[in-house]
């Protein structure tokens, strides 16, 4: 059982692909991103396959496949058409992740729901006012992201974990990684909106893209490892 939590070759591939992708974004080397970025989600998919016993393989693999498609579309973050296609692919991923969390007993809590709802409404208003051409699809995607993030923040998914501000504190139990993973995903996608609407300088946009990609990759790792750790355990004791 202990060996299932070991870091493997797939994690090394994931780390290398993430580093190369972030470097490519910050330095403007798109060709480096084209090679490295499409490896991030497949490396995690390999992890899923290696840990396939007792997990929702189909949902995780479908989500990571959609994430790979989204990653490819969003290599050029300044192309609105590709941004919308990427968001559509990630929407499929969010549906898969939310479905898995629901099957494992996750439920929305008021402390998790309210700030995410407020953030979503604020981002939607900004998009309508400053980027109408992408407002509708990104707002719809934001609702799905908010659902995943809200469900992943349910502290009952990691019984026994310390809880701070109604979110499980990450520890040795990888189920406790879910809440922070959902928060990082929300922050990463929120920064996409900030970059799109407010950052104009080339260096600032490159730095923001690096931060977006680093936080996105960390979120994927935390969420996938957390969902794998859920296995076939169901949360009990709910009304």
């Amino acid at each position: 059982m202990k060996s299932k939590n070991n870091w493997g070759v797939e994690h090394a591939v994931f780390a290398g692909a993430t580093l190369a992708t972030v470097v490519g974004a910050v330095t403007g080397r798109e060709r480096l991103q084209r090679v490295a970025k499409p490896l991030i989600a497949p490396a995690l998919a390999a992890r899923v396959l290696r840990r396939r016993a007792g997990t929702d393989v189909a949902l995780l693999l479908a989500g990571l496949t959609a994430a790979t498609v989204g990653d490819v579309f969003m290599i050029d973050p300044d192309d609105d058409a590709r941004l919308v296609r990427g968001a559509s692919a990630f929407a499929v991923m969010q549906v898969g992740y939310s479905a898995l969390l629901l099957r494992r007993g996750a439920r929305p809590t008021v402390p998790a729901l309210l700030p995410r709802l407020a953030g979503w409404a604020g981002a939607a208003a900004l998009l309508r006012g400053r980027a109408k051409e992408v407002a509708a699809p990104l707002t719809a995607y934001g609702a799905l992201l908010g659902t995943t993030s809200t469900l992943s923040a349910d502290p009952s998914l990691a019984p026994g974990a310390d809880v701070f501000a109604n979110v499980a504190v990450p520890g040795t139990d990888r189920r406790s990684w879910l809440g922070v993973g959902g928060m990082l995903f929300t922050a990463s996608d929120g920064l996409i909106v900030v970059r799109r609407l407010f950052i104009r300088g080339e260096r600032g946009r490159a730095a923001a893209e690096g931060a977006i990609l680093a936080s996105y990759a960390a979120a994927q790792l935390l969420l996938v490892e957390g969902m794998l750790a859920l296995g076939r355990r169901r949360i009990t004791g709910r009304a």
Side-chain angles (χ1 to χ4, degrees):
M1 188 74 174
K2 184 178 178 180
S3 63
K4 290 185 178 180
N5 282 334
N6 289 344
W7 300 107
V9 174
E10 64 273 22
H11 292 109
V13 173
F14 168 85
T18 297
L19 178 60
T21 300
V22 172
V23 169
V26 172
T27 61
R29 300 176 185 176
E30 187 174 305
R31 292 180 65 181
L32 181 57
Q33 289 191 73
R34 290 189 180 281
V35 172
K37 195 176 183 184
L39 297 177
I40 292 175
L44 295 176
R47 169 67 167 166
V48 172
L49 288 171
R50 192 161 72 85
R51 282 285 314 274
R52 59 185 175 274
T55 64
D56 292 282
V57 178
L59 286 172
L60 279 173
L61 291 182
L64 289 167
T65 299
T68 303
V69 174
D71 282 341
V72 171
F73 276 128
M74 295 179 70
I75 287 174
D76 182 356
D78 298 318
D79 184 325
D80 283 348
R82 294 178 69 87
L83 175 64
V84 170
R85 293 188 187 105
S88 299
F90 278 111
V92 174
M93 183 207 75
Q94 300 293 358
V95 169
Y97 284 5
S98 291
L100 189 153
L101 291 168
L102 285 168
R103 288 180 63 179
R104 294 293 162 254
R107 296 295 182 268
T109 63
V110 172
L113 177 61
L114 291 182
R116 288 162 176 80
L117 185 59
W120 171 79
L126 283 171
L127 288 167
R128 283 197 306 272
R130 301 174 66 102
K132 290 182 180 179
E133 60 275 18
V134 297
L138 293 189
T139 298
Y141 167 73
L144 296 174
L145 166 65
T147 300
T148 299
S149 183
T150 299
L151 292 172
S152 69
D154 184 352
S156 69
L157 292 172
D162 293 333
V163 176
F164 177 76
N166 296 293
V167 177
V169 177
T172 56
D173 182 349
R174 296 189 183 186
R175 293 175 295 175
S176 67
W177 296 6
L178 285 164
V180 173
M183 291 171 63
L184 273 175
F185 219 124
T186 303
S188 178
D189 283 5
L191 188 52
I192 290 176
V193 176
V194 171
R195 182 186 183 278
R196 172 67 173 72
L197 299 182
F198 300 111
I199 301 177
R200 294 289 176 257
E202 184 176 337
R203 290 186 178 180
R205 291 176 69 82
E209 184 65 11
I212 288 166
L213 292 167
S215 54
Y216 158 71
Q220 285 283 31
L221 177 67
L222 292 172
L223 286 170
V224 170
E225 289 292 334
M227 288 186 284
L228 283 171
L230 288 175
R232 293 194 179 279
R233 297 183 181 91
R234 292 187 180 273
I235 308 303
T236 59
R238 289 192 178 274

